[in-house]
Amino acid sequence: MSPPDAKARRQRFRELHRDGIFVMPNPWDVGSARLLASMGFQALATTSSGHAASLGRVDQSVTRDELLAHVEELATAVDLPLNVDAERCFAEHPDGIAETVELIARAGAAGCSIEDYDPERRRIDPLDVAVDRVAAAADAARASGVVLTARAENHLYGIGDLDDTIRRLRAYRDAGAEVLYAPGIAKADEIRRLVESVEAPVNVLALRHGPSVAELAAIGVRRVSTGGALARAAYGAMVAAARELQTGGTSTYLDTAITGQDLDAALS
């Protein structure tokens, strides 16, 4: 069920894309969402891989009902606009895609994404198929008031054809997507070319060897997200701490742990 201020959150989210740049980190559960909200971020986004890991599963294994419950839980827990990683929108046909977008909106989201990788066939969708899918999602997003992000997944799956990525994103824009996203691009000159070519707000995935937020702002990027990286960083810190305790018997990992007082303050 949408929070009472869902319409205002959607408007606020749309306005964030009009000028400047903002960072939209990806929590994986209610606790991480509330911690990030307490830090002053202007919007949050779900992460399919982080959410799946929190359920003890691998990416692309969460059901639509599980995602919808997750979205409603996060939208209720924080008062920030929430963007939803909806993968392929859990449908093969336009009616099913539209239904998923509508349900995500009802769960309280301010935005959602649709991607063009098909995990069952292990391939990127043909362009005409992908455009039809984006158009179905865009029509539903427009009717529901949510911001639709269309994703070109080439660079996550070893296809470094920037020309094809740009061609796809322009087609997705023309099909109705408001924000465009090609996760995996790390070179500043390629990001700049993409931004200049698509003529629409662009989201960039923050990467270890990618440009800083300030550098992305200078390029003209509107939004920066983290995908599953924060979840992996948290799990990595836990593994390192447990390994120290297991092998050395010491607890120096507590030096970088959040204090109980600060955690309580963020969650209360």
Side-chain angles (χ1 to χ4, degrees), residues 105-124:
R106 287 182 205 169
C112 67
S113 62
I114 183 170
E115 55 196 54
D116 59 8
Y117 178 73
D118 184 342
E120 288 192 9
R121 297 179 178 87
R122 297 185 180 181
R123 69 177 190 187
I124 303 294

Side-chain angles (χ1 to χ4, degrees), residues 148-159:
L148 180 70
T149 298
R151 297 174 44 149
E153 303 291 281
N154 276 343
H155 294 262
L156 288 185
Y157 294 95
I159 303 172

Side-chain angles (χ1 to χ4, degrees), residues 118-138:
D118 184 342
E120 288 192 9
R121 297 179 178 87
R122 297 185 180 181
R123 69 177 190 187
I124 303 294
D125 287 324
L127 182 57
D128 59 336
V129 172
V131 167
D132 287 346
R133 292 173 57 80
V134 171

Side-chain angles (χ1 to χ4, degrees), residues 165-234:
T165 294
I166 290 172
R167 181 164 51 249
R168 284 173 172 273
L169 291 179
R170 288 176 64 93
Y172 302 162
R173 176 204 64 194
D174 293 344
E178 294 187 64
V179 183
L180 305 173
Y181 182 18
I185 298 180
K187 295 180 180 178
D189 59 340
E190 292 187 343
I191 296 171
R192 182 187 301 278
R193 185 180 159 208
L194 188 152
V195 168
E196 293 174 349
S197 298
V198 300
E199 299 178 324
V202 170
N203 184 99
V204 167
L205 178 66
L207 296 171
R208 171 66 179 85
H209 297 291
S212 67
V213 172
E215 291 168 330
L216 291 172
I219 290 170
V221 170
R222 286 282 175 264
R223 191 174 85 192
V224 179
S225 59
T226 59
L230 292 182
R232 294 196 307 275

Side-chain angles (χ1 to χ4, degrees), residues 57-75:
R57 305 216 296 270
V58 298
D59 197 11
Q60 299 173 339
S61 67
V62 172
T63 67
R64 186 173 76 172
D65 284 347
E66 287 172 327
L67 174 65
L68 293 171
H70 179 59
V71 172
E72 186 171 349
E73 195 175 35
L74 295 191

